[in-house]
Amino acid sequence: MNQYYTEVELPELEWKIDHQSKLMMVGSCFAENIGIRMQELKFQVDMNPFGIVYNPLSVSRSLKLLMEGKQYTANDLFEHQGVWHSFDHHSRFSSTNAAEALDRMNEQLKTSAEHLKNSDYLIVSLGTSWVYEWKPTGRIVSNCHKLPAADFKRFRLTPGEIVDELKELMTALWKFNPKLKILLTVSPIRHWKDGAHGNQLSKAALLLAVDRLVTGFGTEQCAYFPSYEIMMDELRDYRFYTPDMVHISNQSIEHIWQKFGSLMFEVETQQLMKRLSKLSKAVGHRPFNRNAEAYEKFLFYNLKEVEDLLKKFPFLNLSKEKEHFKRELDGYQRRGK
């Protein structure tokens, strides 16, 4: 059979993720694309405790704040057009009520700091080497929150600056959690507002920096997953993008997910994932006739599947699934009376 694309070679890693592994995912929206899939398949994933962050300095600051046990106060917030924000956080943490915003931030920080301390894997997706510096203080922000562009100085980090920052971060992370393995990747999502050339320069700086880090530290605790290269080489066609021609399509995410899985999951884990995927689809099933006997059999079958999975894999969190099928079955039986 003819092959119509060049296949990207994956690194050889002894690392393997299973459902007992704890993971943290930080970085661009690509990290969320993969993280959401892992959460749906019942992996123990904590994802972007500050929300989506794109540049290496903001990724580094986020993780350092977790290690420090940072708690936010009113002095860390600012108000813009009636909404309270933090320069460290995505707008999903913002609120018209300052106390509510602080509660959201600090509750997530406490949970995520504990998760990071016990994580087996940290997956970092770097999106851009462009950063925004807030002129009044000279600090790099994770999110501008639609403040006037004139309030910021925008510039691109050099590979050396990225290496220096992430090298310091990774050294601190391994002191904080010696067993942690760090998987770096460069997001395949383009930052087209920089233009074609500007986007490539930005990605190139990230790629050069990551290569120096992995080469310097070795693959025992640090490695690279080529999501950017898979998109550029195996999926080099606009049909693999969304209509905005910038973000990647669900088909592309699925393809990269499959490549990721072939590298990181043992056969037994992949088999469990298939069972959990079927269970997830069963939860979302909406029958044409809720009073049909076939629906009762469907509910009994899936409730038994939940119980069988919990017997074999007691560490799985299937409480919502179990409650769903029990509730539907109780409703069916009440209607039958």
Side-chain angles (χ1 to χ4, degrees):
M1 178 183 289
N2 292 328
Q3 184 161 328
Y4 294 100
Y5 64 88
T6 52
E7 188 167 355
V8 174
E9 185 177 351
L10 298 178
E12 292 185 9
L13 292 178
E14 294 183 4
W15 310 358
K16 294 298 174 185
I17 296 172
D18 60 33
H19 283 82
Q20 295 188 76
S21 305
K22 288 185 180 292
L23 300 96
M24 177 164 282
M25 305 193 72
V26 176
S28 71
C29 44
F30 179 73
E32 300 220 339
N33 290 334
I34 299 301
I36 288 170
R37 288 181 178 236
M38 297 193 77
Q39 287 180 338
E40 290 173 347
L41 291 169
K42 302 302 178 181
F43 286 94
Q44 300 178 63
V45 178
D46 190 308
M47 185 171 59
N48 273 341
F50 289 79
I52 297 169
V53 287
Y54 296 99
N55 73 77
L57 298 190
S58 293
V59 166
S60 179
R61 177 174 170 82
S62 299
L63 291 166
K64 286 178 179 177
L65 290 173
L66 288 182
M67 289 187 281
E68 293 168 8
K70 166 75 173 177
Q71 286 289 287
Y72 281 76
T73 68
N75 292 332
D76 295 308
L77 304 183
F78 69 93
E79 184 269 337
H80 180 59
Q81 296 182 346
V83 180
W84 291 91
H85 305 281
S86 156
F87 278 131
D88 294 327
H89 289 79
H90 187 270
S91 57
R92 71 187 185 205
F93 288 91
S94 302
S95 174
T96 55
N97 183 291
E100 183 177 296
L102 288 172
D103 285 345
R104 288 178 189 170
M105 295 170 190
N106 288 327
E107 183 178 349
Q108 184 65 62
L109 282 169
K110 183 178 179 181
T111 301
S112 296
E114 182 66 21
H115 194 95
L116 178 61
K117 182 68 175 175
N118 296 291
S119 286
D120 301 289
Y121 298 93
L122 169 65
I123 300 175
V124 178
S125 174
L126 301 173
T128 181
S129 54
W130 287 96
V131 297
Y132 288 83
E133 179 186 282
W134 195 41
K135 291 180 180 179
T137 63
R139 63 168 291 188
I140 303 300
V141 304
S142 297
N143 197 306
C144 297
H145 296 294
K146 299 183 179 179
L147 289 172
D151 292 348
F152 299 91
K153 175 185 175 183
R154 183 173 181 268
F155 60 94
R156 191 176 66 241
L157 299 171
T158 67
E161 289 170 328
I162 297 169
V163 169
D164 289 344
E165 180 65 34
L166 295 186
K167 185 177 180 180
E168 178 187 307
L169 168 70
M170 292 160 72
T171 301
L173 282 166
W174 286 320
K175 288 182 180 178
F176 182 73
N177 179 355
K179 69 175 180 178
L180 188 67
K181 290 180 171 56
I182 301 174
L183 187 67
L184 300 166
T185 191
V186 173
S187 171
I189 298 169
R190 300 185 295 172
H191 288 254
W192 202 243
K193 65 182 178 181
D194 301 320
H197 186 57
N199 175 70
Q200 292 295 79
L201 290 174
S202 171
K203 300 293 187 183
L206 297 175
L207 291 165
L208 287 168
V210 168
D211 183 67
R212 284 171 59 183
L213 289 164
V214 173
T215 302
F217 284 118
T219 58
E220 188 173 325
Q221 284 187 291
C222 173
Y224 176 68
F225 177 71
S227 57
Y228 178 80
E229 291 81 354
I230 292 169
M231 190 70 207
M232 293 298 104
D233 282 271
E234 294 187 11
L235 303 173
R236 53 163 60 198
D237 193 295
Y238 278 110
R239 72 179 185 271
F240 295 116
Y241 287 85
T242 58
D244 67 5
M245 299 299 170
V246 172
H247 291 83
I248 63 177
S249 68
N250 288 334
Q251 185 181 12
S252 299
I253 295 169
E254 178 62 25
H255 180 83
I256 297 173
W257 166 252
Q258 292 297 329
K259 301 282 284 195
F260 178 82
S262 69
L263 176 67
M264 301 302 296
F265 303 136
E266 294 279 17
V267 173
E268 294 80 2
T269 301
Q270 294 183 39
Q271 291 172 344
L272 175 56
M273 288 162 61
K274 289 178 181 179
R275 292 178 70 180
L276 291 168
S277 179
K278 289 180 180 179
L279 195 64
S280 177
K281 291 176 182 177
V283 170
H285 174 66
R286 297 294 178 265
F288 178 75
N289 181 1
R290 299 172 73 88
N291 297 319
E293 184 178 344
Y295 186 51
E296 182 187 28
K297 292 180 180 178
F298 170 84
L299 295 172
F300 270 121
Y301 173 84
N302 283 289
L303 185 57
K304 185 178 184 302
E305 175 69 355
V306 170
E307 291 169 347
D308 289 346
L309 283 168
L310 288 174
K311 284 180 183 178
K312 190 171 182 180
F313 310 103
F315 47 82
L316 290 175
N317 183 0
L318 296 175
S319 56
K320 291 183 180 179
E321 289 76 8
K322 186 173 184 178
E323 176 61 28
H324 170 79
F325 293 121
K326 287 182 68 175
R327 184 174 62 250
E328 286 292 300
L329 193 57
D330 288 345
Y332 176 89
Q333 292 171 343
R334 285 197 302 271
R335 289 191 299 273
K337 294 178 181 180

